[in-house]
């Protein structure tokens, strides 16, 4: 995989060698003032079939897909479960990660840790 | 012989080139044996589609994550089924993208249908970002058992 364009990464991808039973969902990662967002396309996955794990700074998303048993005549995508993992740095407040699912798209909000948020410092005049 | 202009390593361009080659392979194969054919009018590969043969006909699955089913336009004529829509990019300013793999914008794909499909009975269901189009065969096209009578 290519390097992320930013040198300072608040979340990086952990592309581990994984079982070919899984496919990687397409993702976007973007940063806003107070949070980092991971958006993953997981078409065909119901809300209850999405599993999000966070262990040892590794955030893993998994989605279970119903695999049609009918004979396939034309294939442009592989109907398989989704799996992707990300390594989080201490810049993320792991306690405050939240997720929502909408029409097969998973959105994860990863708030930045308080100490890293830009803070205005008032200059007092004496 | 093929010549490439060196643009630096662009993994997604490589993937899309590979995908085009695979599509061409499919198209070549389809011309011979396969009743469906993608119309060349739309040179697009979004949404990705799979086609299955079911007991009573065919089922076309299209990956349309994040698109409200109300924003999908599915139409059928005697010979063609067309899927149109738009995937809107997330709104808002001040986003700094660290990785962008998802694509946005207008899309349209058309598939030529074989004669054997009963167009009036084509149904579509939206299931968590996956569009499933069920296309049953016409009654008279389904195989029937013929009893052999003994004289």
């Amino acid at each position: 995989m290519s390097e992320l364009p930013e040198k300072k990464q608040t979340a990086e991808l952990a592309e581990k060698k994984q079982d070919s039973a899984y496919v990687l969902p397409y993702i976007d990662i973007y940063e806003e003032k107070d949070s980092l967002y991971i958006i993953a396309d997981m078409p065909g996955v119901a809300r209850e079939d999405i599993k999000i794990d966070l262990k040892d700074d590794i955030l893993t998303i998994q989605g279970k897909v119903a695999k049609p048993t009918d004979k396939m005549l034309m294939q442009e995508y592989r109907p398989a479960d989704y799996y992707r993992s990300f390594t989080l740095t201490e810049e993320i407040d792991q306690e405050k990660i939240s997720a929502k699912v909408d029409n097969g798209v998973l959105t994860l909000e990863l708030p930045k840790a308080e100490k890293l948020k830009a803070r205005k410092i008032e200059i007092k005049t004496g | 012989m093929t010549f490439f202009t060196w643009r630096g390593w662009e993994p997604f361009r490589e993937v899309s080139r590979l995908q085009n080659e695979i599509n061409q392979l499919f198209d070549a194969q389809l011309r011979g044996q396969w009743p469906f054919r993608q119309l060349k009018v739309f040179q697009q590969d979004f949404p990705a589609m799979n086609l299955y043969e079911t007991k009573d006909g065919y089922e076309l699955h299209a990956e349309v994550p994040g698109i409200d089913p109300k924003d999908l336009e599915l139409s059928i004529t005697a010979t063609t089924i067309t899927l149109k829509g738009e995937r809107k990019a997330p709104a808002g300013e001040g986003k700094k993208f660290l990785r962008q793999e998802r694509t946005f914008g207008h899309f349209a794909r058309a598939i030529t249908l074989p004669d054997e499909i009963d167009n009036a009975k084509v149904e579509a269901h939206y299931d968590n970002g996956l569009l499933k189009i069920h296309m049953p065969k016409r009654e008279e096209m389904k195989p029937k058992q013929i009893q052999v009578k003994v004289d």
Side-chain angles (χ1 to χ4, degrees):
Chain A
M1 278 308 226
S2 60
E3 291 291 314
L4 292 181
E6 297 298 315
K7 273 206 173 127
K8 186 190 138 220
Q9 298 163 4
T10 28
E12 64 182 39
L13 307 184
E15 312 270 23
K16 284 183 291 185
K17 202 176 177 225
Q18 51 187 248
D19 201 317
S20 64
Y22 294 104
V23 288
L24 291 173
Y26 286 127
I27 57 150
D28 283 348
I29 301 177
Y30 61 82
E31 189 183 340
E32 279 185 0
K33 204 169 127 262
D34 294 333
S35 295
L36 209 75
Y37 293 85
I38 299 176
I39 322 278
D41 280 346
M42 296 165 111
V45 182
R47 169 191 292 268
E48 58 271 22
D49 293 328
I50 291 182
K51 216 173 101 189
I52 304 162
D53 282 319
L54 180 59
K55 200 187 160 203
D56 301 333
D57 294 340
I58 308 253
L59 177 72
T60 306
I61 55 173
Q62 281 181 78
K64 234 175 154 179
V65 167
K67 288 131 213 122
T69 49
D70 297 313
K71 186 184 163 200
M72 204 186 292
L73 297 174
M74 178 179 99
Q75 185 180 14
E76 292 181 349
Y77 69 89
R78 200 156 59 87
D81 294 341
Y82 295 99
Y83 179 100
R84 203 151 175 175
S85 61
F86 310 88
T87 308
L88 304 182
T89 64
E90 58 187 13
E91 293 166 36
I92 298 292
D93 189 342
Q94 299 191 357
E95 299 294 312
K96 288 184 184 158
I97 296 174
S98 64
K100 68 180 171 113
V101 188
D102 188 23
N103 291 332
V105 177
L106 171 70
T107 303
L108 290 167
E109 185 182 352
L110 296 80
K112 293 181 195 171
E114 281 302 325
K115 57 174 177 165
L116 285 151
K117 281 185 192 166
R119 190 164 57 89
K120 265 207 182 125
I121 298 164
E122 242 177 280
I123 301 167
K124 286 172 188 160
T125 41
Chain B
M1 227 175 128
T2 325
F3 295 93
F4 295 105
T5 319
W6 181 247
R7 300 162 180 271
W9 189 54
E10 291 177 77
F12 295 111
R13 188 182 296 275
E14 288 295 302
V15 169
S16 113
R17 191 172 59 86
L18 187 72
Q19 205 163 35
N20 282 340
E21 279 172 8
I22 293 168
N23 282 349
Q24 280 164 19
L25 211 83
F26 268 123
D27 285 348
Q29 222 179 1
L30 304 188
R31 243 167 261 139
Q33 0 168 314
W34 152 248
F36 292 82
R37 185 169 56 86
Q38 196 197 327
L39 282 187
K40 279 288 166 191
V41 182
F42 304 111
Q43 294 280 358
Q44 258 189 301
D45 42 25
F46 185 89
M49 290 176 170
N50 277 1
L51 190 84
Y52 303 91
E53 188 169 17
T54 59
K55 260 183 275 158
D56 65 338
Y58 301 98
E59 205 160 285
L60 187 66
H61 290 188
E63 290 193 322
V64 284
I67 303 167
D68 194 300
K70 288 195 284 285
D71 296 332
L72 282 172
E73 192 189 320
L74 188 66
S75 58
I76 190 165
T77 67
T79 55
T80 312
I81 189 159
T82 309
L83 177 65
K84 282 187 204 171
E86 186 193 357
R87 185 148 102 140
K88 293 180 183 87
E93 297 288 305
K95 288 184 172 59
K96 197 167 92 188
F97 275 90
L98 304 175
R99 184 166 281 251
Q100 201 161 15
E101 299 171 359
R102 302 160 72 235
T103 51
F104 301 99
H106 289 275
F107 60 86
R109 285 194 77 172
I111 307 275
T112 310
L113 301 172
D115 284 343
E116 57 185 338
I117 286 175
D118 189 345
N119 288 9
K121 285 190 182 151
V122 172
E123 277 179 6
H125 296 273
Y126 186 86
D127 171 24
N128 296 301
L130 194 67
L131 185 71
K132 298 174 177 175
I133 306 164
H134 182 61
M135 303 180 282
K137 285 181 191 171
R138 282 188 302 202
E139 278 309 316
E140 64 264 32
M141 302 301 262
K142 289 180 189 164
K144 263 179 215 97
Q145 290 282 328
I146 297 164
Q147 227 177 351
V148 179
K149 286 172 185 160
V150 184
D151 290 329

